[in-house]
Amino acid sequence: MPLVLPTAEAVYVPQCGAGGGRSVVVLGSTGSVGSQAIDVIAAHPERFRAVALAAGGANPALLARQALQTGARMVAVTNPSAVREFTDAFTALAWAEGTSRRPLPVVLPGAEGLSAAAGWPCDVVLNALPGAAGLPATLTALKAGSLVALANKESLVAGGELIRRVAGPGQIVPVDCGHSAIMQCLPGWAYACPVPGVQRLILTCSGGPFRTHTRAQLAAVTPAQTLAHPRWRMGPLVTVNSATLVNKGLELIEAQTLFGLGYDRLSVVIHPQSVVHSMAEYTDGSALAQAAPPDMRLPIAAALAWPQRPPPGVVASLDWTRAHTWAFEPVDEDRFPALALACHAGRLGGTAPAAFNAANEEAVTAFLTGAIPFTAITDAIEQTLNHHTPVPDHDLTPDAVQAADAWARQHTRNHLLGLPAPIRGLAPNPARPAKEA
Ligand SMILES: NC(=O)c1ccc[n+]([C@@H]2O[C@H](COP(=O)([O-])OP(=O)(O)OC[C@H]3O[C@@H](n4cnc5c(N)ncnc54)[C@H](OP(=O)(O)O)[C@@H]3O)[C@@H](O)[C@H]2O)c1
């Protein structure tokens, strides 16, 4: 059963514009997606208003500016030692801007604060946290009954089956531009899959900065080169994932969880211009594509506004008076093995996607610190997947996902440090059910 359903069947359709616009909680508000969401909300007060924000605490001044700008009633700061900096920055800014009568929002620290923000009463929770750590927040927001605008694809990858059990019909709206494009290419904004007549979903992919590199050249790229994405400004994890194509691999698993068409009917095609954001191919020979400038504010606004169209002017339209060339080319899976690995993990199901994701996050951290070469990232994922015995979907619990995540991280670290891999029977895989351990 796919997670996304036709508008007519979806029960989670907030009243657009009622009571001063949709109330929105932004998790990860100071990040790339989160900041752009704040821009969209601030530009369209008739449609949206931010009621709570959450961030880790690395940028308290920006968080304070956002809280002041949006008038959010609650702010969660996961790092407790950043709370004081946040409140000082808020007070100083309010004073400097002559808005000192605006009350300090309720500030909640730690993981409890983040959980409170995810469950805060609102119409829509935008989850723009990075990594598998975003899963508990997704589950909390779903259980609280909010519509979830999901940028945190790792939630769906690591915990797709857990999310499926708690998500109501149509309660999740994707923010990833590819999945947002697909939902716009299905009939009448209705994201019913399998839609009769849809034979394939095609995710486009910029190919990243190393699209034309040989395997030897890939082995020599530096973290700085990798973080300079040609089209998108994103957080470090997703930028590296874009360069390895792990990001597209995660998106394949995400597409399967959201639309349920089957891995054999999902494809990826390289499109360096990043204007066509994805396509739905129909059995009649047509492919419907969504095209727009590469700007995350559009899919963010589309998710916040669903099932209505986003407000006018979120991004400037394409200039059709100019000549354009759009290229499409197949992925070279020898140089970029991440897609095949992701499909393998997705087909294995259960805890395998969580292990895939955790291995990648560990390997990316090692790459960014200069400890391993670029090509070792996907090698490490493959190595970890090969040693993982997944807990099957029907036995999946939050603890099993967490254990698989922890096991895969440890396994990947051991592998990268050249330490012995945990061996079945000697160092049991905690993701395996107890009777097998
Ligand atoms: N960036 C894009 O264009 C893009 C596009 C599609 C999908 N996505 C997906 O969107 C998600 C976010 O990506 P991003 O690029 O926006 O990430 P990012 O720039 O790294 O921002 C992450 C945000 O989450 C906050 N955060 C991190 N850990 C936290 C914690 N434990 N508690 C509370 N807040 C925490 C950060 O706050 P601090 O900085 O204070 O820690 C920051 O506000 C990822 O899943 C990514 O795959 C991103």
Side-chain angles (χ1 to χ4, degrees):
M1 181 69 167
L3 274 176
V4 285
L5 290 174
T7 312
E9 290 175 35
V11 294
Y12 290 87
V13 181
Q15 295 307 304
C16 219
R22 278 187 183 172
S23 52
V24 181
V25 169
V26 183
L27 307 179
S29 66
T30 56
S32 166
V33 171
S35 310
Q36 294 179 81
I38 299 292
D39 290 348
V40 169
I41 292 167
H44 300 282
E46 74 294 353
R47 298 283 294 271
F48 313 117
R49 64 199 157 88
V51 292
L53 309 177
N59 197 342
L62 175 59
L63 186 59
R65 180 168 298 284
Q66 291 178 337
L68 197 64
Q69 179 188 13
T70 60
R73 302 266 308 281
M74 191 278 236
V75 174
V77 186
T78 302
N79 178 359
S81 59
V83 168
R84 181 64 192 269
E85 284 176 80
F86 166 77
T87 55
D88 287 352
F90 184 95
T91 310
L93 267 174
W95 185 258
E97 294 185 4
T99 49
S100 54
R101 278 193 294 173
R102 175 163 281 177
L104 188 69
V106 174
V107 185
L108 297 178
E112 297 76 18
L114 178 59
S115 177
W120 198 255
C122 66
D123 292 321
V124 187
V125 173
L126 171 69
N127 185 347
L129 300 170
L135 175 60
T138 300
L139 293 171
T140 301
L142 290 170
K143 286 177 190 160
S146 303
L147 184 76
V148 177
L150 196 58
N152 178 249
K153 67 196 78 176
E154 296 90 343
S155 287
L156 280 178
V157 171
E161 178 57 27
L162 300 177
I163 288 174
R164 198 191 306 278
R165 287 180 202 158
V166 296
Q171 201 182 354
I172 291 189
V173 187
V175 170
D176 250 326
C177 59
H179 306 79
S180 176
I182 288 169
M183 82 180 178
Q184 295 177 58
C185 294
L186 298 178
W189 265 114
Y191 15 157
C193 260
V195 174
V198 172
Q199 66 180 9
R200 179 168 293 280
L201 301 177
I202 301 150
L203 293 168
T204 57
C205 168
S206 73
F210 311 131
R211 180 170 57 90
T212 57
H213 277 39
T214 63
R215 180 110 183 137
Q217 287 172 318
L218 285 174
V221 302
T222 64
Q225 290 167 329
T226 309
L227 291 175
H229 194 279
R231 299 272 165 202
W232 302 96
R233 290 284 156 266
M234 307 177 289
L237 173 63
V238 64
T239 305
V240 178
N241 290 350
S242 293
T244 53
L245 301 205
V246 164
N247 187 52
K248 216 43 64 174
L250 295 171
E251 290 184 10
L252 280 172
I253 301 174
E254 182 183 7
Q256 171 55 19
T257 310
L258 287 171
F259 301 108
L261 214 61
Y263 284 98
D264 293 342
R265 292 162 72 188
L266 297 175
S267 304
V268 174
V269 62
I270 303 275
H271 168 51
Q273 293 78 17
S274 301
V275 175
V276 172
H277 297 297
S278 280
M279 298 176 256
E281 183 183 76
Y282 287 74
T283 47
D284 59 16
S286 305
L288 300 192
Q290 186 253 348
D295 188 323
M296 275 305 293
R297 287 174 302 169
L298 190 55
I300 292 168
L304 297 183
W306 179 84
Q308 299 192 4
R309 291 295 309 177
V314 172
V315 298
S317 305
L318 292 168
D319 180 359
W320 296 102
T321 63
R322 284 195 313 110
H324 292 261
T325 302
W326 292 349
F328 297 93
E329 55 192 64
V331 179
D332 178 347
E333 297 205 1
D334 286 339
R335 285 183 298 127
F336 295 101
L339 299 183
L341 286 170
C343 285
H344 176 58
R347 285 192 172 102
L348 286 174
T351 51
F356 172 95
N357 179 66
N360 175 61
E361 288 183 17
E362 282 304 314
V364 168
T365 303
F367 168 68
L368 287 176
T369 56
I372 61 167
F374 181 83
T375 42
I377 298 174
T378 43
D379 291 347
I381 298 173
E382 180 173 12
Q383 220 277 344
T384 299
L385 267 185
N386 285 344
H387 283 79
H388 183 61
T389 307
V391 174
D393 274 343
H394 56 81
D395 286 340
L396 210 60
T397 60
D399 285 349
V401 171
Q402 206 175 11
D405 181 285
W407 173 86
R409 287 175 197 279
Q410 187 59 54
H411 183 97
T412 306
R413 280 195 295 270
N414 283 6
H415 166 67
L416 295 175
L417 289 170
L419 297 174
I423 298 169
R424 193 179 302 183
L426 290 178
N429 172 352
R432 211 174 300 135
K435 57 183 174 358
E436 290 179 29

